[in-house]
Amino acid sequence: MANAKPKMKLKKGDHVQVIQGKDVGKRGEVARVIPERNMVVVEGTEGINVAKKHQKPTKATMQGGIQDKTMPIHVSNLMLICSKDGPTKVGYRIDPNGEKHRVCRKCGAEL
Ligand SMILES: [Zn+2]
């Protein structure tokens, strides 16, 4: 059984768009990658995969509260954004030096 290690196509600082789930269409920037789970945390102005975290009242404040917490999102729910084409599939190109470059599958631009 071939069980290839999942390859992370995304890295910190990438601009991505959500293509599945409750936040479809939202864009943000990859703030953190979790390669072993194939997930990333995306920070965006619109809030991507934000969970409401309830806090119990404390003696000091006498009241509880709700805090927003950005949760990791699976990379399959995201697409990398090409500045020319918008959300795009990622391809790879090997240059003459044998180095691998991530490219836009539509226009071939390096991403
Ligand atoms: Zn492109």
Side-chain angles (χ1 to χ4, degrees):
M1 272 274 276
N3 196 0
K5 207 175 171 193
K7 269 177 283 176
M8 280 299 278
K9 285 189 174 177
L10 300 177
K11 60 182 196 292
K12 197 176 167 183
D14 279 349
H15 291 277
V16 294
Q17 181 164 328
V18 181
I19 53 160
Q20 268 184 81
K22 65 184 170 76
D23 294 316
V24 166
K26 288 185 182 177
R27 292 182 177 198
E29 190 178 317
V30 174
R32 194 159 65 89
V33 294
I34 311 163
E36 60 274 14
R37 287 167 68 200
N38 226 11
M39 294 178 102
V40 295
V41 174
V42 182
E43 302 278 5
T45 48
E46 299 171 287
I48 291 161
N49 205 24
V50 170
K52 301 281 182 199
K53 202 180 159 199
H54 295 263
Q55 284 187 321
K56 282 181 181 162
T58 62
K59 268 182 186 164
T61 61
M62 290 297 280
Q63 58 178 3
I66 299 170
Q67 242 194 345
D68 287 346
K69 194 178 187 324
T70 304
M71 303 300 287
I73 185 167
H74 198 265
V75 291
S76 63
N77 293 331
L78 299 168
M79 257 184 148
L80 205 58
I81 297 170
C82 168
S83 54
K84 218 165 130 187
D85 307 301
T88 183
K89 281 190 174 160
V90 175
Y92 290 97
R93 183 174 56 81
I94 313 284
D95 72 14
N97 300 323
E99 275 180 65
K100 212 166 159 187
H101 296 273
R102 216 171 46 169
V103 295
C104 168
R105 284 251 282 265
K106 286 181 190 165
C107 71
E110 209 167 299
L111 295 171

